[in-house]
């Protein structure tokens, strides 16, 4: 099944209807199926009504219980995979208001405890100075003050000792000159300060060595349940455990090439000095 953004929402209702039809054709009740799959009857009901998007493993359990295989099983698993993927395009987000997007991210951060951020080309708002935040949304029309305030407000989550953060930045992301030289020097100094927060692990991947990897996107992994992948025109929200684990594994590989701690801070200081000299 091709991944078409306008089909992602419809796939949830298609999956719900297909699951309901499969059970009825097998002549089984929701109670029987729930007991066989070690689920609650309410969960089965919510899956069949479309109120709950089942994980891939849930669909696999139901298919096994109903002894469904072949093309039917392949189609249902394909629907489930698509239903566990959400597309958020930049234009829709901007129409709704980017301050509302910040509220959504804040809720996601409040509900998660372990974060992995891979930053390929820019510094994320959680690590940004106010000047960098403003520069990152310079192309957004209208009053930007609310968006800036929300982004900066979200940074308080870094001080929550019940949560752990690992940020991996490529050298390109750290040094991309989104600001004039003095602003970039201040941004790099701010990264060094954040790297001292006990529950924050911040690393940079220098581009002066052999790196046999080919990262394509900026992405974030929340616990083991969700991954967001940024593209030029939007973001994919992935909930399939196989997708989430794949990005966790990618992150672990990239982590091997990063420098942390005092080595990181020396590198950031060197780059900050280079920006400062550009100003002179």
């Amino acid at each position: 099944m091709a991944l078409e953004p306008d089909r992602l929402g419809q796939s949830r209702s298609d999956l719900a209807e297909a699951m309901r039809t499969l059970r009825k054709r097998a002549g089984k009740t929701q109670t029987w199926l729930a007991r066989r799959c070690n689920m609650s009857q309410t969960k089965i009901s919510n899956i069949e009504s479309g109120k709950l998007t089942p994980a891939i493993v849930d669909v696999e359990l139901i298919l096994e219980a109903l002894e469904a295989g072949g093309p039917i099983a392949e189609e249902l698993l394909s629907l489930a995979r698509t239903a566990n993927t959400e597309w958020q395009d930049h234009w829709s987000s901007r129409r709704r208001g980017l301050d509302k997007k910040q509220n959504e991210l804040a809720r996601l951060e409040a509900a998660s405890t372990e974060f992995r951020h891979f930053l390929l080309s820019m510094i994320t708002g959680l690590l940004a100075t106010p000047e960098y935040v403003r520069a990152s949304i310079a192309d957004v029309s209208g009053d930007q003050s609310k968006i800036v305030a929300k982004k900066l407000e979200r940074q308080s989550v870094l001080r929550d000792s019940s949560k752990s953060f690992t940020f991996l930045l490529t050298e390109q992301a750290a040094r991309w000159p989104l600001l004039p030289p003095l602003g970039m020097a201040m941004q790099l100094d701010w990264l060094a300060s954040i790297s001292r927060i006990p529950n924050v692990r911040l690393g940079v991947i220098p581009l002066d060595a052999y790196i046999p990897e080919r990262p394509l996107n900026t992405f974030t992994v929340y616990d083991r349940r969700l991954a967001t992948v940024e593209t030029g025109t939007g973001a994919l929200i992935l909930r399939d455990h196989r997708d989430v684990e794949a990005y966790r594994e990618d992150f672990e590989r990239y982590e091997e090439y990063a420098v942390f701690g005092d080595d990181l801070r020396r590198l950031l200081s060197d780059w900050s000095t280079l920006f400062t000299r550009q100003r002179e």
Side-chain angles (χ1 to χ4, degrees):
M1 177 181 292
L3 181 60
E4 302 174 14
D6 59 355
R7 283 284 301 154
L8 295 180
Q10 182 62 37
S11 67
R12 294 185 180 91
S13 58
D14 290 346
L15 177 62
E17 181 180 353
M19 297 296 285
R20 184 171 60 251
T21 300
L22 181 66
R23 175 185 58 78
K24 289 183 175 179
R25 285 179 178 172
K28 305 299 183 182
T29 65
Q30 288 184 348
T31 302
W32 179 91
L33 184 58
R35 187 166 55 248
R36 189 66 178 267
C37 296
N38 196 27
M39 300 178 189
S40 69
Q41 186 272 329
T42 300
K43 180 174 183 177
I44 295 294
S45 176
N46 287 339
I47 288 173
E48 292 187 357
S49 65
K51 294 179 182 178
L52 174 68
T53 301
I56 304 296
V57 66
D58 293 332
V59 176
E60 289 172 340
L61 285 171
I62 291 171
L63 290 172
E64 182 179 351
L66 296 176
E67 298 182 353
I72 292 176
E74 290 178 7
E75 176 65 17
L76 282 171
L77 288 169
S78 180
L79 279 172
R81 187 172 179 83
T82 307
N84 276 277
T85 303
E86 179 183 345
W87 169 253
Q88 295 181 349
D89 66 84
H90 289 329
W91 299 280
S92 296
S93 294
R94 292 189 176 191
R95 282 196 301 271
R96 289 189 302 111
L98 290 184
D99 57 314
K100 294 182 175 62
K101 174 65 174 179
Q102 297 306 306
N103 290 337
E104 293 172 2
L105 289 171
R107 287 193 294 271
L108 181 55
E109 288 158 356
S112 306
T113 58
E114 189 180 59
F115 305 81
R116 288 170 170 81
H117 291 258
F118 178 75
L119 306 170
L120 181 63
S121 58
M122 279 185 62
I123 295 168
T124 182
L126 287 177
L127 304 176
T129 62
E131 292 76 14
Y132 196 100
V133 170
R134 280 191 284 271
S136 71
I137 60 170
D139 62 334
V140 178
S141 59
D143 183 10
Q144 299 174 357
S145 59
K146 188 181 295 185
I147 303 170
V148 173
K150 292 285 187 182
K151 279 180 172 283
L152 296 177
E153 181 181 316
R154 282 178 48 223
Q155 293 180 358
S156 64
V157 74
L158 297 178
R159 309 286 177 173
D160 185 341
S161 60
S162 69
K163 302 179 186 295
S164 65
F165 297 83
T166 304
F167 295 93
L168 291 182
L169 294 82
T170 64
E171 180 177 337
Q172 173 178 304
R175 299 182 66 181
W176 187 266
L178 189 65
L179 295 171
L182 181 57
M184 286 304 303
M186 293 175 65
Q187 173 62 72
L188 292 170
D189 292 343
W190 181 239
L191 289 179
S193 297
I194 291 176
S195 73
R196 298 184 184 277
I197 299 175
N199 57 310
V200 173
R201 189 162 182 261
L202 194 150
V204 167
I205 302 173
L207 301 181
D208 60 356
Y210 172 59
I211 305 176
E213 302 290 348
R214 49 194 184 282
L216 299 175
N217 301 89
T218 286
F219 64 87
T220 304
V221 181
Y222 299 86
D223 298 326
R224 290 185 176 272
R225 60 191 179 87
L226 180 75
T228 64
V229 183
E230 297 184 25
T231 74
T233 56
L236 281 170
I237 316 299
L238 306 172
R239 295 181 177 84
D240 182 347
H241 70 93
R242 291 174 295 185
D243 290 327
V244 176
E245 285 303 312
Y247 277 100
R248 282 177 64 99
E249 290 170 5
D250 284 348
F251 191 92
E252 290 173 1
R253 288 203 313 277
Y254 303 152
E255 198 170 1
E256 295 177 1
Y257 302 98
V259 296
F260 297 88
D262 290 339
D263 290 338
L264 162 78
R265 287 184 281 272
R266 279 192 290 270
L267 199 56
L268 293 174
S269 178
D270 290 344
W271 295 341
S272 176
T273 298
L274 288 174
F275 275 117
T276 303
R277 287 174 180 170
Q278 289 179 30
R279 182 173 175 269
E280 295 174 351

